[in-house]
Amino acid sequence: QVQLVESGGGLVQAGGSLRLSCAASGRSFSTSDMGWFRQAPGKERVFVAAINFSASSTRYEDSVKGRFTISRDNAKNTVYLQMNSLKSEDTAVYYCAAARYSYRLLRDENAYWGQGTQVTVSS
């Protein structure tokens, strides 16, 4: 049974930082892309960041470039999202995602999903 469990969300003031963690279990994702999506109330879930199996490549949504950093620790089957200089528009439920298939690009439609963790950024 694959399970992804996020942690690290919470309430933070604008300009502050949070570090999200996602621990996977049920299978190893050492050969799979992992990443983060987010969903604000009333809006669609959107891509935030992804990292490939070897951490040799990362991808970011334009609005978070330079502020967010994705990383992974395959020995721990865990992916992280360091979020700095947070803005009110970053407020959302953040979902950890892992590609279902090895060596395939992480996409919304081919992912396992965590339960989500709330990030709220106050002005």
Side-chain angles (χ1 to χ4, degrees):
Q1 186 94 288
V2 171
Q3 188 172 17
L4 305 177
V5 180
E6 301 97 333
S7 62
L11 176 65
V12 65
Q13 290 186 325
S17 298
L18 287 172
R19 191 193 195 205
L20 305 184
S21 298
C22 172
S25 61
R27 57 157 282 192
S28 173
F29 288 94
S30 63
T31 56
S32 300
D33 279 14
M34 299 185 75
W36 297 88
F37 292 70
R38 66 187 180 187
Q39 186 171 25
K43 302 186 72 175
E44 294 184 341
R45 184 167 58 196
V46 297
F47 171 79
V48 176
I51 187 166
N52 79 339
F53 64 94
S54 65
S56 61
S57 179
T58 57
R59 296 180 286 125
Y60 297 95
E61 191 270 322
D62 285 344
S63 70
V64 308
K65 287 182 178 178
R67 300 189 297 119
F68 291 10
T69 302
I70 189 169
S71 61
R72 67 189 297 163
D73 185 341
N74 285 343
K76 296 181 179 179
N77 218 21
T78 298
V79 65
Y80 307 93
L81 186 68
Q82 178 66 46
M83 305 186 294
N84 298 327
S85 301
L86 283 162
K87 305 174 181 179
S88 60
E89 51 262 46
D90 295 317
T91 295
V93 176
Y94 283 70
Y95 294 93
C96 178
R100 295 183 66 187
Y101 309 106
S102 296
Y103 309 112
R104 296 284 191 174
L105 187 69
L106 176 64
R107 304 180 190 274
D108 183 276
E109 60 269 25
N110 68 19
Y112 292 108
W113 297 100
Q115 81 288 349
T117 186
Q118 178 70 48
V119 172
T120 302
V121 183
S122 62
S123 300

